[in-house]
Amino acid sequence: MSEKQESKVADTVRLVDSLEVTHPAFDVIAKDVVSEYGAYCTLYRHKKSGAELLSVANDDDNKVFGITFRTPPEDSTGAPHILEHSVLCGSRKYKTKDPFVQLLQGSLQTFLNAFTYPDRTCYVLASQNTKDFYNLVNVYTDAVFHPRALTDPMVHAQEGWHLELENKDDPLTYKGVVYNEMKGVYSSPDSLLNRASQRSMFPENTYGVDSGGDPADIPNLTFEQFGEFHRKFYHPANSRIFFAGDDDVPTRLSLMDEYLQEFDASPESKPASQVKWQKKNFTEPKWSSEPYPVAADQPETHMVSVNWLLNERHFTSTEDLTVTVLDHLLTGTVSSILRKTLMESGLGTAITGGGLSDELLQATYSMGLKGVEPQNVKPVETLVLDTFEKISEEGFSEDDIASSMNTIEFQMREFNTGSFPKGLSFMLGSMSKWIYDENPTKAIKFEEALAQLKAIIAESGSNVFQNYIKDNLINNLHRTTVEMIPSKKLEEEQLEEEKNRLAVIKAKLTDDDLNDIIEKTGKLKELQAAEDSAEARATIPSLEISDLKRESTEYPIAVTENECKSGVTVVRHELVSSSGIAYVKFGVDISGLSLEDVCLLPLYTRLMKETGAGELSDVELSRKIGMHTGGVSPSLLTTTVRSGSDGEGTVTNGNHMITKLLIQGKATPEKIDQLFSIFSLMLSESNLDSPKKVIEKLKETKTRLESSIQGSGHSYAKSRIESRYIPEGYIDEKMSGISYHDSVKTMLKQAEEDWPSFHARLENIRNVMMNNDTCRNGMFIDITGEQAVLNGIQPNVESFLENLPGDADGSKLPDFYNEEHPWVTQAKEEMSKKSLIVDEGFIVSTQVSYVGKGGRLFDVGETVPGSAAVISRFLSTGYLWDNVRVIGGAYGGFCTFNSKSGLLSFLSYRDPNLAETIDIYDKTANALLATAEQLENDPDALKTAIIGAMSDLDGAVSPDQKGWKQFCRWLTRESPERRQKYRDEFISTKPSDFKMFAERLIALKQPSVAVVSSKAAFEKAAEAGKILKLTNVV
């Protein structure tokens, strides 16, 4: 037996033995092996407190812990959400103001967060370092059971809401992190529609209120009610505790017993938190209408969603899988019948509703359109209902069913969660049953349900899905239709309503009351600005520098140029295991395109997959992908690369780029021939001459972009800032930023008014890309898989290479490592003609701001030390967290730094402030200089900063990510030696590095501002002296 085989046997024995672990403080309730994922599960109940604990033993070194409480609210004051934020602000054992931030700053966590669901609150973490893992578990457990927030009203004030006043003559304002977060949520039309839809279906249970909190209701939550919510729901008897990974099971149990043994049984806890079933008791479908905000110059289109409550009892595992497959048949791809019918109807511009939602006690189904003209609102509802009628009569084809079944089965077997911890996916899946007192492994196991569903389909074909539609949709009167009506005055009305509400409150206050608010405002700000004492910081468990992994992680790579004399470079990554799956990326050079047509590329990649290819229609191509692969998707790869004259680790001039169109997919070896045939079809024969579909997709893209700019304005602010300084940023913004939104409107106009010209531009992309003389030289194939997979697919790789278009002995493309990329040449010319370095504001309908400011921190040719990553992370979790989030009330504040470009950006998310936040950014340098001095005498704080930033270097990665990460390193000519040097510099960060960074911030080259916010916020900022060039967007 080989050493590898012996190790595997030993691991299996260890996992099997884990099922026999007992502990005197716990009873064993159930044992189960989820063979699908090699998970050995034991369900325990703590004898004294009644807490349930699911221990999952597997071979995953990314260990996961979670503790979940069932927390159904009775109103929309946001008690569960505010509590979720607040319990992590100090506890009995861990004395700092915000241990959560200390953990972000100084642990090796691969995941650290908390979630508020409509009926439960989850606290979750993950780490690959065992010592670190148990440190995190201790802090989280003490936090949920013994939070400082119960005795300190300042926590509720900071995280929830408070009245703020600094001078008697000033108007009262509301402040609070959750309050402002939810103002951002309630600014999103999609969020408003989703919330209205859920309320409409659940008039009688907890799902009819908003656990996150309605900004209009949040100020009604008193400190006493806040504390009572914790006392009612945060007893161990109402908890579900979860462990997963390769750590020691007895240690898990002993650690939890230390906390749980303090609590006596609470037999009333579980019954008090039970979620009441909403009966399907409507005697007729219902219709409701609500407003949503739009800007003054935006079209007044409506949004419509048709919604059903599906069940009033628990689903069986087979029913769960059936409705999942049905949802995929209906909306899983752009060619799925319900999605396709709605989009091709012309009644709206984008799908809304989301289809199946099944993570709560009761499943729902929602589908509709946005961008709907008023006269088309009712026809949307009719079309949804008529489509279900048609499907119930005609059913689905065998190939459609096979395609959806294979897609779902592939996903379940692969269990590829990317960088998201697998154990966390396991926990969230199990919680969808466990939290409602069902078997926690029921939702994870799929083999039996899959076999049953396959047998049912084999016997009766489509009938199982047709019958489900008849019983649960067509004949289900518990249906609602929600119409969202545009209002150009809603934002103004909400601001006025809040202003008047606060004015009424202030008018009723005495001078003593006002003085009290002023005093509390001052005390809160003083507390927020105060440093934790050394004694308090010492209570937070930490690692040592010696606990860090010193070596940079490298992944396998083998490069073969001109493989089989094809002219194509093939790159392989042989892993120990890829679960029998080949991950393949195929790249084609697109440098021959003009910069003018770069904005077409996102549309072009969609058309490659969504409009059919060769003799296959869009439906047939989608079906082929689903039946034979784990998914295929075209995308773009644009990256700057180091030239031969650039030193490693220096800021490049950005003149050298690699630009490729990618087709990526995954399949098992026996299906790899089908994967490659799909690649070939998409590459050479995609259908570009479909004006109706192109116009439809452009309208959808426009609608999606507008929604994204409203909800993720910080991303667009960052993109805009970067576009002002470097060609790559300028080019990227043309394909994904606010400039792209402008381009989409222009493209839509041309497609509608002059289709032949627009079609010619699309065809030109293919012609340029497929230039017979040069295309082979610009192609690559990147393959990740285990040895058996790589060997098994080699004949298919050779056949694919042989049949590719182009001349294998053709001309070579320019050497873009040493020659300026033509897009860069054109971008620099355009940039030179514009006044790019200007402070800009982009107006959308919102109650919050997304504030960005940035500039060049390192010049071209300067070497960027590894310490820069430590310091930028330190700013995000330190100065910006304290000032933008804690004191300022924004949901997030952070710093991003790109070592290749030398650009730095400050950003805020869902921010109640604008001018004040820019002032905070401007004070960063001085704050950092002061920090540098403090660190000279505080080695522990420096150690914490280094350790916390290390998680950015060493996150968990899936097999396909390992291969792609190593490929990108090779493509950009980043050597292992440079990576190791960077890591050494990173770990050796000194106080003097902080001083250097601060001095560079003081000398930041041509800084500029980009903000996404409301017109009212920009007017207020102008009064404070922040004058921005304004543009209306949404």
Side-chain angles (χ1 to χ4, degrees):
M1 187 182 293
S2 69
E3 186 176 332
K4 185 189 294 186
Q5 289 172 321
E6 288 180 356
S7 176
K8 191 171 183 179
V9 169
D11 283 342
T12 302
V13 170
R14 176 183 63 83
L15 294 174
V16 171
D17 288 347
S18 73
L19 293 176
E20 304 306 318
V21 172
T22 60
H23 189 285
F26 291 87
D27 289 324
V28 175
I29 305 303
K31 303 176 185 179
D32 200 0
V33 178
V34 182
S35 56
E36 292 89 336
Y37 303 124
Y40 292 72
C41 309
T42 307
L43 181 62
Y44 299 92
R45 181 178 293 118
H46 191 252
K47 293 177 181 178
K48 188 168 185 286
S49 68
E52 291 184 6
L53 185 154
L54 181 63
S55 175
V56 179
N58 57 30
D59 60 2
D60 189 354
D61 70 343
N62 197 18
K63 292 161 276 289
V64 168
F65 168 79
I67 183 163
T68 301
F69 300 90
R70 202 160 57 195
T71 53
E74 295 178 354
D75 55 40
S76 296
T77 57
H81 188 190
I82 296 171
L83 195 55
E84 174 233 301
H85 280 243
S86 300
V87 299
L88 297 172
C89 293
S91 65
R92 183 176 64 180
K93 286 170 63 175
Y94 305 107
K95 305 291 190 179
T96 62
K97 292 181 300 180
D98 204 337
F100 177 76
V101 180
Q102 271 82 49
L103 297 179
L104 282 176
Q105 291 173 337
S107 76
L108 296 176
Q109 53 83 21
T110 55
F111 194 91
L112 194 71
N113 214 329
F115 313 130
T116 300
Y117 286 77
D119 59 7
R120 58 189 181 271
T121 310
C122 306
Y123 299 87
V124 290
L125 59 90
S127 179
Q128 294 169 294
N129 180 290
T130 302
K131 177 182 176 182
D132 185 54
F133 177 65
Y134 287 122
N135 285 347
L136 297 172
V137 171
N138 272 292
V139 175
Y140 260 47
T141 307
D142 197 63
V144 297
F145 290 130
H146 306 291
R148 172 174 70 97
L150 297 184
T151 56
D152 187 351
M154 289 296 185
V155 177
H156 170 252
Q158 172 183 290
E159 297 298 321
W161 74 276
H162 65 274
L163 290 170
E164 188 159 296
L165 187 67
E166 294 187 347
N167 300 293
K168 282 186 181 181
D169 295 334
D170 293 342
L172 279 175
T173 58
Y174 285 129
K175 285 288 182 72
V177 174
V178 169
Y179 177 75
N180 208 67
E181 176 191 349
M182 296 312 294
K183 285 186 94 172
V185 171
Y186 274 67
S187 296
S188 162
D190 291 316
S191 294
L192 289 172
L193 175 59
N194 293 337
R195 280 165 164 71
S197 295
Q198 181 165 306
R199 279 199 309 272
S200 71
M201 289 182 283
F202 294 98
E204 298 168 0
N205 79 352
T206 189
Y207 302 144
V209 299
D210 191 343
S211 64
D214 183 331
D217 287 337
I218 287 173
N220 295 325
L221 180 70
T222 67
F223 176 65
E224 291 71 26
Q225 291 168 331
F226 167 78
E228 180 56 33
F229 196 90
H230 182 277
R231 283 182 283 275
K232 181 176 181 179
F233 293 120
Y234 277 62
H235 189 280
N238 190 45
S239 70
R240 312 292 191 279
I241 301 169
F242 179 91
F243 282 90
D246 63 357
D247 59 309
D248 183 56
V249 173
T251 302
R252 298 172 175 177
L253 299 176
S254 295
L255 192 158
M256 281 297 102
D257 181 48
E258 290 178 20
Y259 291 94
L260 299 177
Q261 64 183 343
E262 295 184 45
F263 294 87
D264 293 321
S266 177
E268 71 278 5
S269 287
K270 267 193 177 181
S273 70
Q274 280 190 333
V275 179
K276 174 186 173 184
W277 286 86
Q278 170 67 58
K279 293 296 183 183
K280 294 164 64 173
N281 54 12
F282 289 2
T283 56
E284 61 180 6
K286 297 188 178 182
W287 184 292
S288 62
S289 301
E290 295 193 18
Y292 79 93
V294 293
D297 61 343
Q298 292 300 303
E300 297 186 58
T301 57
H302 295 226
M303 303 167 70
V304 188
S305 180
V306 189
N307 318 288
W308 286 264
L309 175 61
L310 296 183
N311 62 312
E312 49 189 353
R313 61 164 178 78
H314 292 299
F315 280 146
T316 65
S317 295
T318 304
E319 287 172 332
D320 269 325
L321 184 57
T322 300
V323 72
T324 298
V325 174
L326 174 59
D327 183 43
H328 190 272
L329 282 162
L330 292 169
T331 63
T333 73
V334 294
S335 300
S336 298
I337 184 167
L338 181 57
R339 183 188 180 106
K340 179 179 171 69
T341 300
L342 285 169
M343 283 306 301
E344 292 184 354
S345 70
L347 296 175
T349 58
I351 293 290
T352 191
L356 175 68
S357 175
D358 61 353
E359 61 186 7
L360 302 178
L361 176 66
Q362 293 173 269
T364 61
Y365 202 89
S366 300
M367 188 51 55
L369 286 169
K370 49 187 175 180
V372 180
E373 295 296 335
Q375 69 273 17
N376 290 331
V377 168
K378 190 64 180 175
V380 170
E381 180 193 54
T382 302
L383 182 59
V384 172
L385 300 178
D386 287 349
T387 304
F388 280 129
E389 287 280 3
K390 181 180 179 183
I391 299 169
S392 72
E393 294 171 4
E394 300 177 3
F396 300 97
S397 72
E398 286 185 21
D399 284 349
D400 282 331
I401 294 171
S403 176
S404 288
M405 287 289 288
N406 179 72
T407 298
I408 300 299
E409 182 176 354
F410 196 105
Q411 291 170 355
M412 292 190 298
R413 294 196 185 285
E414 183 191 19
F415 199 42
N416 187 341
T417 61
S419 299
F420 195 75
K422 283 192 174 183
L424 182 49
S425 290
F426 199 107
M427 177 194 131
L428 296 178
S430 67
M431 207 60 66
S432 67
K433 301 298 179 185
W434 190 16
I435 200 73
Y436 307 117
D437 304 317
E438 289 194 273
N439 182 346
T441 58
K442 175 183 174 183
I444 307 301
K445 303 174 87 168
F446 63 81
E447 291 288 10
E448 184 178 341
L450 183 62
Q452 288 180 358
L453 182 55
K454 284 181 175 179
I456 293 170
I457 292 169
E459 181 179 335
S460 60
S462 176
N463 284 341
V464 62
F465 302 112
Q466 291 168 258
N467 291 337
Y468 192 93
I469 289 172
K470 289 174 185 173
D471 294 341
N472 295 282
L473 296 169
I474 295 172
N475 297 327
N476 179 4
L477 292 179
H478 201 103
R479 183 183 88 225
T480 67
T481 299
V482 174
E483 175 189 10
M484 301 299 291
I485 300 173
S487 170
K488 295 184 176 182
K489 295 183 177 180
L490 183 61
E491 179 188 324
E492 180 183 330
E493 289 169 352
Q494 289 171 332
L495 290 172
E496 189 66 22
E497 183 181 343
E498 180 179 302
K499 179 181 175 182
N500 292 338
R501 179 181 183 180
L502 288 164
V504 169
I505 292 171
K506 187 178 182 185
K508 294 178 180 178
L509 299 176
T510 65
D511 277 356
D512 287 343
D513 294 330
L514 291 173
N515 288 331
D516 184 53
I517 293 173
I518 292 171
E519 183 182 354
K520 286 179 178 177
T521 297
K523 281 185 177 179
L524 179 58
K525 292 192 173 185
E526 185 180 328
L527 173 71
Q528 291 168 331
E531 295 287 336
D532 287 310
S533 68
E535 293 77 15
R537 292 204 311 272
T539 65
I540 305 298
S542 64
L543 300 174
E544 300 299 326
I545 295 294
S546 59
D547 293 316
L548 301 182
K549 180 172 168 285
R550 289 279 178 170
E551 300 77 27
S552 176
T553 302
E554 303 294 328
Y555 304 109
I557 185 169
V559 181
T560 306
E561 296 182 353
N562 193 24
E563 178 153 331
C564 301
K565 297 183 178 179
S566 64
V568 178
T569 298
V570 179
V571 183
R572 293 179 176 84
H573 314 276
E574 183 183 316
L575 304 182
V576 174
S577 172
S578 64
S579 301
I581 296 169
Y583 297 95
V584 185
K585 290 182 172 67
F586 173 56
V588 189
D589 190 84
I590 49 176
S591 61
L593 287 176
S594 70
L595 187 62
E596 181 185 6
D597 283 341
V598 160
C599 63
L600 289 166
L601 286 169
L603 171 66
Y604 186 88
T605 56
R606 286 193 67 184
L607 299 180
M608 290 176 72
K609 180 178 179 180
E610 297 179 9
T611 54
E615 297 181 355
L616 299 182
S617 68
D618 57 339
V619 174
E620 290 166 336
L621 178 59
S622 177
R623 190 184 292 151
K624 182 180 175 82
I625 292 169
M627 287 176 69
H628 300 294
T629 78
V632 176
S633 58
S635 60
L636 299 170
L637 168 64
T638 61
T639 181
T640 55
V641 294
R642 197 169 50 84
S643 74
S645 60
D646 290 331
E648 281 204 275
T650 61
V651 173
T652 65
N653 58 20
N655 291 340
H656 308 284
M657 291 182 70
I658 299 295
T659 52
K660 305 285 184 183
L661 185 147
L662 296 182
I663 308 175
Q664 55 191 342
K666 51 193 173 185
T668 54
E670 60 271 18
K671 293 285 191 177
I672 202 72
D673 58 331
Q674 297 285 351
L675 182 71
F676 282 136
S677 75
I678 292 166
F679 280 14
S680 296
L681 274 172
M682 286 184 171
L683 179 67
S684 302
E685 300 182 60
S686 52
N687 175 21
L688 305 177
D689 191 8
S690 181
K692 182 179 179 184
K693 288 181 180 174
V694 168
I695 290 168
E696 166 196 310
K697 293 182 191 310
L698 285 169
K699 287 181 177 179
E700 183 183 23
T701 299
K702 177 177 175 291
T703 301
R704 285 182 175 177
L705 275 170
E706 289 167 354
S707 178
S708 179
I709 293 168
Q710 279 182 295
S712 302
H714 60 299
S715 298
Y716 292 88
K718 177 178 180 288
S719 175
R720 190 66 166 200
I721 291 168
E722 292 176 347
S723 74
R724 299 167 182 161
Y725 300 96
I726 55 174
E728 183 186 21
Y730 185 81
I731 292 164
D732 285 347
E733 221 253 345
K734 279 180 170 287
M735 294 190 286
S736 60
I738 288 175
S739 294
Y740 180 57
H741 176 249
D742 295 334
S743 297
V744 168
K745 291 189 286 187
T746 302
M747 288 188 286
L748 178 59
K749 188 173 187 296
Q750 185 183 19
E752 289 178 325
E753 297 177 0
D754 186 4
W755 172 251
S757 296
F758 192 76
H759 176 226
R761 293 176 69 190
L762 294 172
E763 289 288 355
N764 179 63
I765 294 176
R766 179 157 55 198
N767 294 337
V768 169
M769 192 167 60
M770 292 291 95
N771 181 290
N772 190 69
D773 187 41
T774 58
C775 70
R776 288 279 187 112
N777 181 249
M779 292 177 178
F780 72 79
I781 304 176
D782 181 66
I783 309 171
T784 299
E786 59 207 47
Q787 184 181 43
V789 167
L790 296 180
N791 292 340
I793 69 172
Q794 184 56 26
N796 306 94
V797 173
E798 293 174 4
S799 175
F800 179 63
L801 290 171
E802 182 181 347
N803 293 298
L804 281 170
D807 184 353
D809 298 314
S811 301
K812 291 185 179 298
L813 289 163
D815 176 9
F816 292 123
Y817 291 98
N818 292 296
E819 294 186 36
E820 184 169 283
H821 194 287
W823 292 5
V824 172
T825 305
Q826 296 167 66
K828 289 198 297 189
E829 184 178 347
E830 288 186 15
M831 293 170 76
S832 69
K833 296 176 181 178
K834 298 179 179 180
S835 300
L836 291 176
I837 311 299
V838 59
D839 295 340
E840 293 179 285
F842 300 97
I843 300 172
V844 301
S845 293
T846 181
Q847 299 180 60
V848 293
S849 297
Y850 302 87
V851 184
K853 183 169 185 176
R856 185 177 285 285
L857 195 69
F858 285 80
D859 279 327
V860 173
E862 290 189 307
T863 299
V864 179
S867 61
V870 174
I871 298 162
S872 60
R873 167 69 181 247
F874 175 85
L875 288 174
S876 291
T877 59
Y879 174 77
L880 294 173
W881 178 282
D882 290 341
N883 289 278
V884 176
R885 186 187 189 281
V886 175
I887 297 175
Y891 189 49
F894 30 89
C895 167
T896 68
F897 174 69
N898 185 323
S899 61
K900 286 169 64 177
S901 67
L903 296 182
L904 173 138
S905 296
F906 297 120
L907 302 164
S908 71
Y909 180 70
R910 292 181 180 167
D911 193 341
N913 307 307
L914 199 167
E916 299 90 338
T917 298
I918 295 173
D919 290 339
I920 289 168
Y921 296 160
D922 292 342
K923 295 174 184 175
T924 305
N926 289 333
L928 197 58
L929 281 173
T931 297
E933 288 186 24
Q934 294 166 4
L935 291 177
E936 292 284 0
N937 302 309
D938 193 348
D940 284 342
L942 178 60
K943 174 194 73 175
T944 296
I946 295 169
I947 292 170
M950 185 61 74
S951 61
D952 291 338
L953 291 187
D954 291 340
V957 287
S958 60
D960 57 312
Q961 289 175 325
K962 291 176 182 177
W964 186 242
K965 191 171 189 177
Q966 198 68 20
F967 174 87
C968 291
R969 290 168 169 177
W970 167 78
L971 187 70
T972 57
R973 293 187 171 180
E974 179 187 277
S975 70
E977 293 76 20
R978 170 56 195 165
R979 285 192 288 278
Q980 187 59 53
K981 183 182 179 186
Y982 182 84
R983 190 180 186 91
D984 292 341
E985 292 171 349
F986 187 106
I987 294 174
S988 302
T989 298
K990 305 178 293 297
S992 58
D993 295 319
F994 282 73
K995 182 180 179 183
M996 174 275 294
F997 201 98
E999 290 170 344
R1000 285 184 175 273
L1001 275 177
I1002 292 170
L1004 194 66
K1005 301 292 178 65
Q1006 292 184 298
S1008 63
V1009 170
V1011 179
V1012 175
S1013 191
S1014 65
K1015 182 180 177 183
F1018 285 122
E1019 290 172 349
K1020 183 180 177 183
E1023 293 173 3
K1026 301 296 189 289
I1027 310 296
L1028 310 181
K1029 179 184 176 183
L1030 300 182
T1031 303
N1032 284 301
V1033 179
V1034 182

